[in-house]
Amino acid sequence: MIKNDDVSFTSSALKIAPFLHHQTKPSLPFFSQLVQTKLTFLNSLLTRTRFPNSSLLCSASLSLTRPSSPGSDPKSLPILCSASLSLSQSQLRDSTQNDSVVAQQKSGGASGVHGPSRYDEERVLISEVLVRNKDGEELERKDLEAEALAALKACRANSALTVREVQEDVHRVISSGYFCSCMPVAVDTRDGIRLVFQVEPNQEFHGLVCEGASVLPTKFLQDAFRGGYGKVVNIKQLDEVISSINSWYMERGLFGMVSNAEILSGGIIRLQIAEAEVNDISIRFLDRKTGEPTKGKTKPETILRQLTTKKGQVYSMLQGKRDVDTVLTMGIMEDVSFIPQPAEDTGKVDLIMNVVERPNGGFSAGGGISSGTTSGSLPGLIGSFAYSHRNVFGRNQKLNISLERGQIDSIFRINYTDPWIEGDDKRTSRTIMVQNSRTPGNLVHGNQPVNNSLTIGRVAAGIEFSRPLRPKWSGTVGLIFQHAGARDEKGDPKIKDHYNSPLTASGKNHDDMLLGKFESVYTGSGDHGSSMFVFNMEQGLPLWSEWLFFNRVNTRARKGVEIGPALCLLSLSGGHVMGNFSPHEAFAIGGTNSVRGYEEGAVGSGRSYAVGSGEISFPVLGPVEGVFFADYGTDLGSGSTVPGDPAGARLKPGSGYGYGFGIRVDSPLGPLRLEYAFNDRHTKRFHFGVGHRN
């Protein structure tokens, strides 16, 4: 190959580092400078004699930088690079031409900075275009030669090219990702000028070193690079892998990204990962009205122990959101937010949790409806008065004292709850309860003569412990003592009803029992339409010879299925009692929360029971929903096994079904339910309730 002495093309080496997309960077400002990428392509020089007494020195420049604006699309941009080529005339034929060039430079018309010179548009006829290695020899790998030729757009055999077009094709070869340098060399032959692109391929990939990744799975990296082993490293593909790593962090809300990538000798790729670990977590109380920092009443450790985010972990925004929700469910905070900030000179992050406390509590009054009373001048109306404190001693402990009083019903209750016993790592809660109640006895012992109604009085005290068992599952154990008996309308104790059926199991005025309680609850998502399962067991412990000995099991299950805009809700409940128990403790079937179309307890009172229900609800207008339903309940033939057979004495059928329709309205008190039902005995009945069915 004979070189033209008047034409030369020289170039410097090309250095490449992969670019990290802006979209994968964490939102913290101090992460914006973690990565700096550089790619340079230094001066290329072309000289060629066109006039007998002068030489032509040409220069032009080409640069491409990746924009840093957040709105730009990094995936649509090529590899960041720059190249330069110069074109100038060393000697001019006369002073007039020289004066003209000077004038143009002063006006900016021919400046390389302000625009292309006229020499950039001069074309040189190229007879042949070849791709060779940096020593001018054929490439060993023909697939790489094909990649380089495929990248050329303007440079073709028998074409007249400008300097700018050559520059652009050099850039395209580099942008293919397979080459670390590309140097165009012009060679004069008998057939014309031959343009040779001397390229240096990247190294073959033979290994990976990843530093600083504590949460990134090894398998993810192995899968990302598995297809590249033994192949020439492609910078574009490497950039895509880096983007996928950054996306992995982003999708999981983790503060991490690839901070640097380089190709070492031997084909080893080294990735450096920057992960923001939590350096410190602090609580800042804000005033409800001004938003300014203030002194809080809640002890900081009471809040901090609720958090799953700990010091030394890589900060996760998703985990932080869950922690915010957990703190809100404590019921003592009005607003909670996490503010991450850079820790000084550590590359870590400090978390500040801003909290706004709710008022601790106070007195309240209200009203309600009891489904157990169906007669009288004010059937079912209940007035209530309560005092509550949500944050006793600043430890989220709760005290509730309440009194509810109706036409017949009355309940006085004191509850003291510690939602997380200090020193326990299982989130065990403790509740101490004292209660004195009086409820109508018509569920089991109804149809008494006029002015001869019965009430069931209960005095109970106990302690319960609850804890999460696994996600969505919780368990409760407790010990409760109960002293219960029946009284007439004058308040005198009674041991038999109007039908001479016993009202107590012991035959005395009151039954005493010590109950061991176990309950397990599955709550699904917590919504009314989600799945739910409850298993409850009570065991009478006869530590005293007169205390009752029995075992009672009760279960409830619910499953919701969405059908377009409608919700189909299926529920099933059942239970059984073994041993000696009070007749008024029998399972009552029928009513608003059981089989609609019947009065409360009118289907049966049994030692066993099963109730199934199906509902289809659909939106009507705003907060109003329509509903169709059907219920069925049975005592499983156990009514006669209840002491005194109170259901048989009142001719209760023992089984029955109901169906109907209704509307529901969301309100601050909960869903208001108005339903119209028909039963299998051709009776029609309205039902009104507050809240969801049990």
Side-chain angles (χ1 to χ4, degrees):
M1 181 180 296
I2 302 174
K3 293 187 178 181
N4 188 336
D5 294 334
D6 295 328
V7 180
S8 64
F9 223 152
T10 61
S11 174
S12 67
L14 180 68
K15 298 179 181 179
I16 301 177
F19 191 89
L20 299 181
H21 297 321
H22 293 276
Q23 65 183 18
T24 60
K25 294 183 181 179
S27 58
L28 290 183
F30 66 96
F31 268 94
S32 61
Q33 302 299 327
L34 279 179
V35 183
Q36 294 182 351
T37 59
K38 301 178 180 179
L39 186 152
T40 60
F41 186 74
L42 301 180
N43 299 332
S44 297
L45 190 62
L46 171 66
T47 59
R48 185 171 186 270
T49 302
R50 297 194 56 197
F51 302 99
N53 298 321
S54 65
S55 63
L56 185 62
L57 183 62
C58 306
S59 78
S61 65
L62 175 67
S63 64
L64 179 63
T65 60
R66 190 180 299 272
S68 59
S69 63
S72 62
D73 184 6
K75 295 184 178 180
S76 65
L77 298 173
I79 299 298
L80 182 68
C81 67
S82 66
S84 64
L85 201 65
S86 61
L87 173 66
S88 64
Q89 186 168 354
S90 60
Q91 296 181 4
L92 297 179
R93 287 178 290 181
D94 51 59
S95 60
T96 305
Q97 288 178 322
N98 186 61
D99 293 340
S100 175
V101 172
V102 172
Q104 287 183 359
Q105 290 178 345
K106 290 182 179 180
S107 65
S111 171
V113 176
H114 300 285
S117 78
R118 63 186 182 87
Y119 296 107
D120 292 337
E121 302 304 323
E122 289 200 35
R123 295 186 175 275
V124 177
L125 182 61
I126 303 297
S127 63
E128 189 178 9
V129 177
L130 299 176
V131 174
R132 295 290 185 265
N133 63 19
K134 62 181 180 179
D135 297 324
E137 300 173 353
E138 291 188 5
L139 295 179
E140 294 181 1
R141 298 187 54 166
K142 296 301 180 182
D143 57 333
L144 294 180
E145 181 179 340
E147 291 287 348
L149 289 173
L152 301 177
K153 182 178 180 181
C155 297
R156 293 287 187 266
N158 301 319
S159 59
L161 304 176
T162 64
V163 173
R164 183 181 296 108
E165 289 173 337
V166 175
Q167 288 176 278
E168 291 172 352
D169 271 355
V170 168
H171 168 67
R172 292 187 183 99
V173 171
I174 296 299
S175 296
S176 69
Y178 290 100
F179 307 97
C180 60
S181 69
C182 178
M183 181 174 63
V185 176
V187 181
D188 200 2
T189 68
R190 291 178 299 175
D191 299 327
I193 296 177
R194 175 185 298 156
L195 183 58
V196 179
F197 289 90
Q198 295 184 353
V199 298
E200 183 179 357
N202 295 326
Q203 301 180 66
E204 291 184 355
F205 176 49
H206 291 296
L208 174 68
V209 175
C210 186
E211 301 173 351
S214 61
V215 296
L216 185 66
T218 302
K219 187 178 185 302
F220 181 86
L221 286 173
Q222 291 174 343
D223 293 341
F225 285 93
R226 179 173 287 114
Y229 280 98
K231 298 180 181 180
V232 172
V233 175
N234 186 296
I235 301 302
K236 291 174 63 176
Q237 295 176 0
L238 178 59
D239 189 52
E240 292 174 358
V241 171
I242 292 173
S243 297
S244 68
I245 294 173
N246 293 337
S247 296
W248 185 91
Y249 281 98
M250 187 176 183
E251 290 168 1
R252 288 155 182 78
L254 296 169
F255 273 32
M257 65 181 300
V258 180
S259 61
N260 187 38
E262 59 181 327
I263 305 174
L264 306 178
S265 60
I268 305 298
I269 295 179
R270 182 172 68 181
L271 296 180
Q272 292 181 333
I273 309 293
E275 295 178 343
E277 294 182 356
V278 177
N279 180 65
D280 190 28
I281 306 175
S282 59
I283 306 297
R284 180 167 60 190
F285 295 92
L286 302 180
D287 186 84
R288 296 178 64 243
K289 297 180 179 179
T290 65
E292 297 296 325
T294 186
K295 184 177 181 180
K297 298 179 180 179
T298 306
K299 295 184 179 299
E301 58 267 22
T302 301
I303 302 174
L304 291 173
R305 69 179 181 177
Q306 300 286 337
L307 308 182
T308 58
T309 301
K310 304 296 182 182
K311 297 180 182 179
Q313 293 180 346
V314 177
Y315 177 56
S316 167
M317 291 181 288
L318 298 180
Q319 188 178 11
K321 182 180 182 302
R322 289 193 295 267
D323 285 340
V324 167
D325 293 339
T326 299
V327 174
L328 286 173
T329 57
M330 295 170 63
I332 59 176
M333 298 300 168
E334 191 173 280
D335 188 33
V336 180
S337 62
F338 259 133
I339 306 296
Q341 293 183 345
E344 295 182 359
D345 301 327
T346 63
K348 299 183 178 181
V349 58
D350 288 334
L351 299 179
I352 299 176
M353 174 171 274
N354 290 332
V355 296
V356 179
E357 292 181 303
R358 299 174 63 182
N360 287 330
F363 294 94
S364 63
I369 295 177
S370 170
S371 61
T373 303
T374 57
S375 62
S377 57
L378 295 173
L381 294 181
I382 297 176
S384 65
F385 178 81
Y387 170 79
S388 64
H389 197 292
R390 301 185 183 93
N391 197 14
V392 180
F393 307 125
R395 296 184 179 276
N396 194 30
Q397 299 174 4
K398 305 179 189 303
L399 173 65
N400 291 282
I401 302 174
S402 64
L403 172 65
E404 296 179 359
R405 182 66 190 235
Q407 180 183 355
I408 298 177
D409 304 56
S410 68
I411 301 177
F412 176 73
R413 181 187 296 115
I414 300 176
N415 276 19
Y416 185 80
T417 300
D418 185 350
W420 192 340
I421 300 174
E422 186 174 359
D424 179 79
D425 61 350
K426 303 296 184 180
R427 295 178 177 260
T428 303
S429 68
R430 176 182 57 220
T431 299
I432 300 173
M433 174 271 296
V434 177
Q435 178 176 301
N436 186 354
S437 66
R438 186 178 58 144
T439 58
N442 66 313
L443 293 179
V444 176
H445 299 278
N447 297 330
Q448 294 287 113
V450 179
N451 298 325
N452 194 23
S453 61
L454 287 175
T455 57
I456 307 300
R458 295 179 178 88
V459 177
I463 184 170
E464 294 181 353
F465 296 90
S466 299
R467 70 166 50 169
L469 301 178
R470 54 183 303 177
K472 301 182 181 180
W473 282 93
S474 63
T476 301
V477 296
L479 198 62
I480 302 171
F481 178 81
Q482 180 174 289
H483 176 81
R487 295 179 179 272
D488 60 16
E489 73 281 355
K490 297 179 182 179
D492 298 328
K494 297 197 67 174
I495 60 174
K496 291 188 177 182
D497 66 8
H498 175 72
Y499 296 93
N500 206 33
S501 297
L503 294 172
T504 60
S506 63
K508 299 181 179 180
N509 291 338
H510 295 89
D511 287 331
D512 294 328
M513 62 195 81
L514 180 64
L515 301 177
K517 175 183 177 181
F518 171 76
E519 184 177 69
S520 180
V521 179
Y522 173 83
T523 56
S525 65
D527 298 331
H528 174 59
S530 66
S531 299
M532 179 272 292
F533 177 79
V534 178
F535 174 82
N536 180 284
M537 182 177 69
E538 294 177 340
Q539 176 64 54
L541 304 174
L543 300 184
W544 195 265
S545 60
E546 297 180 351
W547 292 357
L548 300 185
F549 177 56
F550 66 94
N551 178 272
R552 175 167 48 202
V553 175
N554 194 13
T555 62
R556 302 195 311 273
R558 181 184 66 208
K559 175 67 175 179
V561 179
E562 292 185 358
I563 306 175
L567 174 65
C568 179
L569 194 64
L570 303 176
S571 60
L572 179 66
S573 60
H576 179 68
V577 182
M578 295 184 298
N580 189 23
F581 69 103
S582 303
H584 56 76
E585 298 286 352
F587 295 111
I589 309 166
T592 302
N593 290 316
S594 180
V595 180
R596 286 162 285 191
Y598 282 90
E599 293 186 9
E600 304 298 322
V603 173
S605 304
R607 184 182 289 265
S608 305
Y609 88 103
V611 172
S613 177
E615 294 184 352
I616 297 179
S617 59
F618 50 90
V620 175
L621 181 63
V624 181
E625 286 186 339
V627 61
F628 293 100
F629 59 85
D631 306 321
Y632 175 79
T634 175
D635 64 5
L636 300 174
S638 64
S640 59
T641 64
V642 177
D645 189 14
R650 290 159 178 80
L651 302 178
K652 294 183 180 181
S655 65
Y657 64 85
Y659 59 92
F661 58 90
I663 60 172
R664 294 174 184 170
V665 182
D666 281 337
S667 73
L669 299 177
L672 303 179
R673 299 185 286 126
L674 178 61
E675 298 161 339
Y676 189 61
F678 307 83
N679 66 23
D680 54 332
R681 296 181 175 263
H682 309 291
T683 302
K684 306 170 185 177
R685 185 174 181 83
F686 276 105
H687 294 273
F688 179 76
V690 179
H692 296 292
R693 281 165 51 91
N694 294 332

